[in-house]
């Protein structure tokens, strides 16, 4: 009897063999990287998962390279353990799971695909039949695709169950409700609420482009269109980044006139967020004269100017031949260190201005004096110097107002009936070290203050943050409305949104909080010679936005590797919760300096008492650097693409700060990075909240993904609310203007813009046709926290119903 021939071990085809080597080798590299990083994370006190998984994946990859099926079984066990670990860490929250599960699922698909090339030890047959492998791999791929497809759905939506039905104004197209958008926030109260009723929840889907104007004038570094136009009668008025003033026919969009103030070149910050309008008192029946109605604006080279609203001609009787030099009394002003980016405030016959002051350049910048000028003559009427209460008009000491005091660069609001103007303040420079600040600086920094409109004297102040060393200046315009007192009456109220995510509800007559504010202990140690406040004011009676305490589990990334990097970075940073103070080590604070509510402010649906807020949720790091270290690092080129390195002349420390990101350029905190929220002002609770914007124009490594996943990205610009239950918003990082339901935040309409927008939309009813128009300025998105190069534009676009 012949002996049966010995069967040779199973040998797959060349393609399958090479695929096995390649996928096994990739797994080994992944495992080595995770093992090294996991060991470092564990040494820092972090999760042991990455070390254990790294060792396991490295071993599984080695077995796969040897074409042993045990490598596949080992990886399946690791994958199942990963799923259990992920759910244990973050529950079933989609985006946190996405970072933990998607990449391991993709690797499992590849391993199942090459399973027929694997055999048991000394086996002569494939351990898994090709048909079984194909079914398993396709099932895994389907699961992966379904999981990724879930990214195109909204997650993290908050929707209160006890919302009252909204009161909606009925639709009207007869032109009977004709008004004006006379201030940056439509009215001096800054609520960005329009009473017009032609565009409704039912017909908003039918909005079409009515006209588009290309404004030109995009020259200069950092030039971005961000202005919200004014509407006066049949004209719109707006400005370009270089302060050219445009008058536009409100019906047709045609340019009527343009005025160029010829600002000085060489500035690295070019913004104009709006202009102001003044109407002089005239006798009934009197023939209009030049400059009876005028457009008033500030410039990047610190001038205050007035031009005739009808013709664009300079009002030569205003100031000195139409202009006031705002550097007078300010001492030394280096070009670009003091300018006007916000529309002046017009109240009665006064023009009230503060000023934008460059952050962190020096400890001896111009001061934050507030000045009121006569709207017709330009004469100085009063001045409020934060550093010298004895100043009522002209500076007293050394011929200049007190230097480097807290400033007001954003929009004030006005209650003419009470005779008060409400101003949001910044902090004294430098922003991240306050060891040399004076008591008078600390007294009014990062606050909202009320001044007497006629005299400029301080009436009350409310501080939202004590001794601000996080650059959390109050950037949002105060919102004025009448709050129910619970007894059938109303209380004159003010809402102050802040960068730190706290929302303060105050009596605007007295400055006393209407809802509870509680002083809570915060970290206040310092190794830099600074003094820090032991407590900070928490607005516990109102919802806060993006103020959760971050943990290692909060760190995020598209893949396990960049999430591991973020976890290690988190463990290496000093983070002690809210208001972690800067020091000579890398410290993290959240929300960051661009976080919370920024200059776009909010909107109030005045019919239903809903506050609409967009916010930014991005952690920052800050590190104070000695002069010697700064000189060395500056010589080497300063910070990298994640950071900024600033000298801060005259201070003992320079500063390095920026967003905390992974090597892929993705934020290290899990989504959302920005939201749109409605707060019911009757209950002081969140009515709804949704992530704002998609990843269509963003992506890893600064590459646009073109995938409209509604992650919720950082938001700039403000919302607008209407009497018909709509909220319009365009400040997302994808190029759209959208309409949402005020009731539940559901998206009802969107229109793609030529480029993104950071401007607040506005609306008006044409005095010619009675049609309601929606207008937005599309100048390009500001890539807050994104390395993507966002295109710029000069578009002013109007929409209407056909």
């Amino acid at each position: 009897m012949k002996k049966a021939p010995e069967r040779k071990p199973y040998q797959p085809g060349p393609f399958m063999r090479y695929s096995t080597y390649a996928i096994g080798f990739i797994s080994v590299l992944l495992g080595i990287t995770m093992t090294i990083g996991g060991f470092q994370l564990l040494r820092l006190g972090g999760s042991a998962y990455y070390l254990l998984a790294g060792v396991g994946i490295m071993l599984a990859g080695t077995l796969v390279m040897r074409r042993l099926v045990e490598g596949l079984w080992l990886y399946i066990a690791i994958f199942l353990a990963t799923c259990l670990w992920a759910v244990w860490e973050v529950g079933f929250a989609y985006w946190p799971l996405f970072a933990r599960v998607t990449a391991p699922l993709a690797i499992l698909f590849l391993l199942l695909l090459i399973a027929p090339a694997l055999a048991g030890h000394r086996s002569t047959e494939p351990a898994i039949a090709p048909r079984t492998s194909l079914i398993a791999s396709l099932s895994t791929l389907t699961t992966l695709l379904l999981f990724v497809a879930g990214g195109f759905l909204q997650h993290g939506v908050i929707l209160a169950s006890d919302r009252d039905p909204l009161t909606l104004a009925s639709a009207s197209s007869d032109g009977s409700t004709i008004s004006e958008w006379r201030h940056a926030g439509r009215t001096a109260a800054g609520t960005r609420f329009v009473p017009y009723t032609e565009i409704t929840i039912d017909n908003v889907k039918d909005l079409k482009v009515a006209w588009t104007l290309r404004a030109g004038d995009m020259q200069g570094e950092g030039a971005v269109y961000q202005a919200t136009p004014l509407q006066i009668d049949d004209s719109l008025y707006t400005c370009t980044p270089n302060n050219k003033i445009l008058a536009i026919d409100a019906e047709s969009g045609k340019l009527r006139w343009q005025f160029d103030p010829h600002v000085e070149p060489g500035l690295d910050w070019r913004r104009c967020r709006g202009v102001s309008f003044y109407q002089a008192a005239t006798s009934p029946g009197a023939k209009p004269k030049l400059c009876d109605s005028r457009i008033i604006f500030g410039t990047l080279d610190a001038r205050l100017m007035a031009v005739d609203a009808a013709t664009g001609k300079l009002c030569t009787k205003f100031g000195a031949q139409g202009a006031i030099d705002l550097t007078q009394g300010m001492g030394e002003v280096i070009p670009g260190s003091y300018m006007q980016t916000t529309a002046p405030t017009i109240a009665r016959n006064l023009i009230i201005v503060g000023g934008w002051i460059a952050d962190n350049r020096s400890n001896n910048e111009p001061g934050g004096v507030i000045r009121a000028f006569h709207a017709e003559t330009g004469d100085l009427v009063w001045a409020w110097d934060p550093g010298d209460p004895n100043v009522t008009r002209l500076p007293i000491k050394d011929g200049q107002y007190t230097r480097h005091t807290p400033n007001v660069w954003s929009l004030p609001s006005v209650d003419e009936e009470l005779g008060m103007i409400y101003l949001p303040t910044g902090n004294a420079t430098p922003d991240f070290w306050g060891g040399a600040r004076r008591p008078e600086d600390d007294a009014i920094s990062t606050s909202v203050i009320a001044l007497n409109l006629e005299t400029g004297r301080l009436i009350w102040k409310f501080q939202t943050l004590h001794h601000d060393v996080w650059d959390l200046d109050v950037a949002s315009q105060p919102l004025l409305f009448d709050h129910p007192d619970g007894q059938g009456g109303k209380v004159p109220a003010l809402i102050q949104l802040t960068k730190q995510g706290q929302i303060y509800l105050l009596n605007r007559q007295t400055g006393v909080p209407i809802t509870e504010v509680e002083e809570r202990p915060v970290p206040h140690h310092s190794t830099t010679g600074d003094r820090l406040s032991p407590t900070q004011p928490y607005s516990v009676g109102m919802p806060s936005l993006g103020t959760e305490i971050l943990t290692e589990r909060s760190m995020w990334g598209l893949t396990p590797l960049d999430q591991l990097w973020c976890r290690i970075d988190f463990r290496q940073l000093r983070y002690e919760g809210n208001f972690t103070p800067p020091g000579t080590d890398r410290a993290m604070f959240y929300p960051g300096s661009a976080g919370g509510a920024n200059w776009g402010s909010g909107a109030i649906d005045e019919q239903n008492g809903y506050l609409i807020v967009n916010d930014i949720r991005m952690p920052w790091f800050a590190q104070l650097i000695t002069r010697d270290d700064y000189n060395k690092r500056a010589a080497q080129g300063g910070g990298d693409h994640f950071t900024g390195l600033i000298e801060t002349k005259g201070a003992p420390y320079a500063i390095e700060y920026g967003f905390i990101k992974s090597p892929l350029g993705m934020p290290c905190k899990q989504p959302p990075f920005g939201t749109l929220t409605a707060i019911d002002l009757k209950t002081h609770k969140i009515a709804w909240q949704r992530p704002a914007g998609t990843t269509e124009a963003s992506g890893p490594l600064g590459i646009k993904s073109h995938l409209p996943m509604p992650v919720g990205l950082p938001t700039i610009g403000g919302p607008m609310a209407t009497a018909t239950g709509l909220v319009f918003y365009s400040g997302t990082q994808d190029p759209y203007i959208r309409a949402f339901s005020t009731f539940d935040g559901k998206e009802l309409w969107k229109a793609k813009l030529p480029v993104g927008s950071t401007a607040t939309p506005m609306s008006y009813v044409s005095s010619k046709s009675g049609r309601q128009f929606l207008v937005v300025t599309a100048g390009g998105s500001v890539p807050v926290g994104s390395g993507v190069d966002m295109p710029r534009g000069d578009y002013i676009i109007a929409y209407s119903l056909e």
Side-chain angles (χ1 to χ4, degrees):
M1 185 173 177
K2 293 184 178 181
K3 184 178 180 181
E6 184 178 353
R7 299 181 66 182
K8 296 181 179 180
Y10 170 67
Q11 290 290 337
F15 177 77
M16 291 295 283
R17 288 203 307 273
Y18 293 143
S19 298
T20 303
Y21 294 141
I23 294 172
F25 181 69
I26 291 171
S27 299
V28 170
L29 288 181
L30 174 62
I32 292 173
T33 304
M34 289 183 65
T35 300
I36 295 172
F39 176 76
Q40 185 178 3
L41 179 62
L42 186 63
R43 185 174 59 84
L44 293 169
S47 172
Y49 162 78
Y50 293 90
L51 175 60
L52 297 175
V55 171
I57 293 172
M58 184 170 52
L59 178 58
T62 302
L63 293 172
V64 169
M65 289 181 68
R66 296 177 61 190
R67 301 201 310 278
L68 298 177
V69 75
E70 288 81 0
L72 174 60
W73 303 137
L74 177 58
Y75 185 82
I76 290 175
I78 294 169
F79 175 75
L80 293 175
T82 295
C83 292
L84 292 174
W85 165 79
V87 172
W88 172 74
E89 274 214 323
V90 297
F92 292 97
Y94 177 81
W95 287 112
L97 281 180
F98 184 95
R100 291 163 171 83
V101 174
T102 306
L105 195 58
I107 294 174
L108 178 60
F109 161 70
L110 295 175
L111 288 173
L112 288 170
L113 201 61
I114 61 162
L118 304 177
H121 188 58
R122 297 180 179 176
S123 175
T124 59
E125 297 293 335
I128 299 177
R131 179 181 176 83
T132 303
S133 167
L134 181 62
I135 293 173
S137 60
L138 289 178
S139 299
T140 304
L141 178 61
T142 301
T143 302
L144 175 62
L145 293 176
L146 287 173
F147 192 78
V148 172
F152 293 89
L153 304 175
Q154 279 205 335
H155 302 277
V157 175
I158 297 174
L159 197 61
S161 59
D162 56 350
R163 293 159 295 143
D164 293 329
L166 294 186
T167 299
L168 303 181
S170 59
S172 170
S173 58
D174 61 4
S176 59
T177 307
I178 295 178
S179 186
E180 294 180 324
W181 191 291
R182 189 173 280 234
H183 299 265
R186 198 184 81 84
T187 68
T191 58
R192 295 162 182 79
F193 175 76
V194 294
Y196 321 132
T197 57
E198 183 180 354
I199 301 172
T200 69
I201 285 177
D202 295 327
N203 63 26
V204 67
K205 64 183 184 300
D206 299 322
L207 282 176
K208 304 293 182 184
V209 173
W211 53 259
T212 300
L213 175 69
R214 297 293 301 271
D217 187 31
M218 297 177 62
Q219 295 79 18
E221 184 74 19
V224 180
Y225 276 78
Q226 294 183 322
T228 297
L230 301 185
Q231 175 256 330
I232 311 296
D233 193 25
D234 62 352
S235 296
L236 300 184
Y237 300 95
T238 190
C239 55
T240 73
N242 290 292
N243 297 129
K244 290 182 180 179
I245 309 303
L246 311 178
I248 304 166
D249 185 284
E251 180 72 27
S252 67
K254 293 182 180 179
L255 184 66
R256 285 187 161 156
W257 56 255
Q258 176 177 284
F259 176 83
D260 187 354
H262 301 289
V263 298
E264 294 183 6
L267 301 174
D268 59 1
W269 181 258
R270 294 174 182 267
R271 301 286 193 278
C272 181
R273 294 182 180 135
V275 298
S276 299
F277 174 79
Y278 172 74
Q279 177 65 58
T282 57
S283 302
K287 184 178 180 181
K289 295 182 296 183
L290 185 71
C291 292
D292 276 352
S293 59
R294 57 185 66 182
I295 301 301
I296 297 171
F297 60 98
T299 67
L300 300 176
D301 52 5
R303 288 175 289 164
L304 184 64
M305 305 186 72
V307 295
D308 179 61
T311 64
K313 294 181 178 179
L314 200 60
C315 298
T316 55
K317 294 182 180 180
F318 177 82
Q321 294 300 307
I324 298 169
D325 181 3
L326 293 176
T327 65
Q328 292 181 356
M330 302 298 288
E332 181 186 15
V333 178
I334 299 172
S337 66
Y338 175 80
M339 64 180 70
Q340 302 294 311
T341 57
T342 299
T345 298
I346 308 296
R348 297 178 181 170
N349 61 346
L350 297 176
I351 308 167
I352 299 102
V353 294
W356 180 91
I357 296 173
D359 288 348
N360 294 306
R361 291 187 182 179
S362 167
N363 70 338
N364 190 30
E365 297 287 0
V369 62
I370 309 299
R371 288 174 284 183
F373 298 91
H374 196 285
E376 295 187 33
T377 66
D379 293 337
L380 180 63
V381 177
W382 57 254
W384 183 71
D385 183 347
D388 189 348
N390 296 315
V391 171
T392 59
R393 201 163 70 89
L394 297 172
I396 297 173
K397 299 175 182 177
D398 305 320
Q400 60 182 343
Y401 299 107
T402 310
R403 293 185 68 79
H404 61 90
T405 53
N407 64 316
V408 175
W409 60 267
S410 190
L411 284 167
S413 296
V414 174
D415 185 332
E416 293 201 30
E417 185 176 338
L418 291 177
M420 294 185 188
I421 179 169
Y422 308 94
L423 304 110
T425 69
N427 48 21
T429 57
D431 296 83
F432 293 96
W433 185 79
R437 290 182 192 164
R438 299 154 297 206
E440 55 267 31
D441 298 331
D442 279 338
I444 57 99
S445 70
T446 322
S447 302
V448 55
I449 61 174
L451 301 184
N452 183 293
L453 191 55
E454 290 297 326
T455 65
R457 296 308 89 201
L458 180 67
I459 297 174
W460 58 257
K461 61 186 178 183
F462 179 85
Q463 192 158 61
T464 67
L465 190 62
H466 309 317
H467 195 73
D468 177 11
V469 289
W470 301 273
D471 191 20
L472 295 174
D473 45 340
V474 182
S476 297
Q477 181 182 18
L479 305 175
L480 311 185
F481 79 110
D482 292 331
H483 186 269
D485 63 3
Q487 300 175 352
K490 299 281 188 178
V491 176
L494 176 151
I495 291 177
Q496 187 58 68
L497 308 175
T498 65
K499 285 185 179 181
Q500 66 261 35
Q502 301 289 328
I503 301 173
Y504 299 91
L505 178 58
L506 311 175
N507 183 312
R508 69 174 180 267
Q509 190 168 10
T510 64
V512 175
I514 294 173
T515 53
E516 185 181 1
V517 176
E518 180 180 284
E519 289 285 339
R520 292 183 176 178
V522 296
H524 59 279
H525 56 82
S526 176
T527 59
T528 62
D530 206 342
R531 60 189 186 279
L532 300 172
S533 174
T535 64
Q536 293 294 350
Y538 283 73
S539 181
V540 297
M542 290 287 287
S544 59
L545 305 177
T547 59
E548 69 273 18
I549 303 297
L550 302 183
T551 67
E552 183 192 318
R553 297 182 184 187
S554 308
M555 296 301 101
W556 194 74
L558 282 179
T559 70
L561 290 184
D562 59 326
Q563 188 184 67
L564 172 58
W565 190 96
C566 288
R567 284 178 178 248
I568 293 171
D569 197 34
F570 175 83
R571 288 289 179 177
Q572 291 175 330
L573 288 160
R574 177 170 52 81
Y575 177 62
E576 304 165 66
N578 296 146
F579 307 113
T580 298
T584 53
D585 54 354
R586 292 176 77 244
M588 184 175 81
F589 59 104
Y590 170 78
S593 294
N598 214 299
W599 58 264
S601 193
I604 295 179
D605 179 335
E606 296 178 1
Q607 284 187 158
N608 296 283
Y610 269 33
L611 168 66
I612 313 297
V613 185
N614 61 281
D615 73 318
I616 300 172
R617 304 183 183 191
M618 294 280 285
W620 281 43
F621 78 90
Q623 182 175 7
L624 298 175
I625 300 169
T626 63
R627 310 310 309 179
D628 290 342
D629 285 346
Y630 169 79
N631 293 333
K632 293 176 183 177
R633 296 181 65 173
Q636 297 170 358
D640 58 25
H641 65 287
F642 297 112
T643 65
L645 183 64
I646 303 178
E647 183 177 5
T648 312
K649 295 178 180 179
Y653 297 96
I655 180 70
E656 184 176 23
Y657 66 95
F659 295 103
I660 299 174
K661 298 183 182 180
S662 77
L664 293 179
M666 303 302 293
C668 274
K669 172 200 162 290
Q670 64 194 29
F673 314 122
T675 69
L676 191 65
T677 302
I679 296 170
D680 189 335
L681 294 175
K682 298 182 291 294
T683 64
H684 307 144
K685 295 180 180 179
I686 290 177
W688 54 261
Q689 184 178 95
R690 293 181 180 273
T694 72
T695 57
E696 181 175 326
S698 304
L701 300 175
I703 301 171
K704 292 183 181 180
S705 70
H706 300 287
L707 300 175
M709 291 182 169
V711 171
L713 297 179
T715 61
I716 294 290
M720 179 192 77
T722 77
T724 53
L726 295 169
V727 173
F728 288 96
Y729 187 70
S730 63
T732 55
Q733 290 192 10
D734 53 359
Y736 291 92
I737 180 170
R738 293 175 168 90
F740 303 90
S741 165
T742 307
F743 178 66
D744 57 11
K746 182 179 179 181
E747 183 180 301
L748 303 175
W749 168 82
K750 70 176 181 180
K752 191 164 188 177
L753 302 170
V755 296
S757 171
T758 56
T760 302
M762 57 87 68
S763 184
Y764 61 93
V765 173
S766 169
S767 61
K768 290 182 178 179
S769 65
R771 286 196 298 167
Q772 183 181 349
F773 288 86
L774 168 72
V775 172
V776 66
T777 298
S781 298
V782 175
V784 176
S786 169
V788 176
D789 183 22
M790 300 288 188
R792 298 285 182 258
D794 60 345
Y795 301 86
I796 303 169
I797 305 172
Y799 300 85
S800 67
L801 299 172
E802 292 182 337

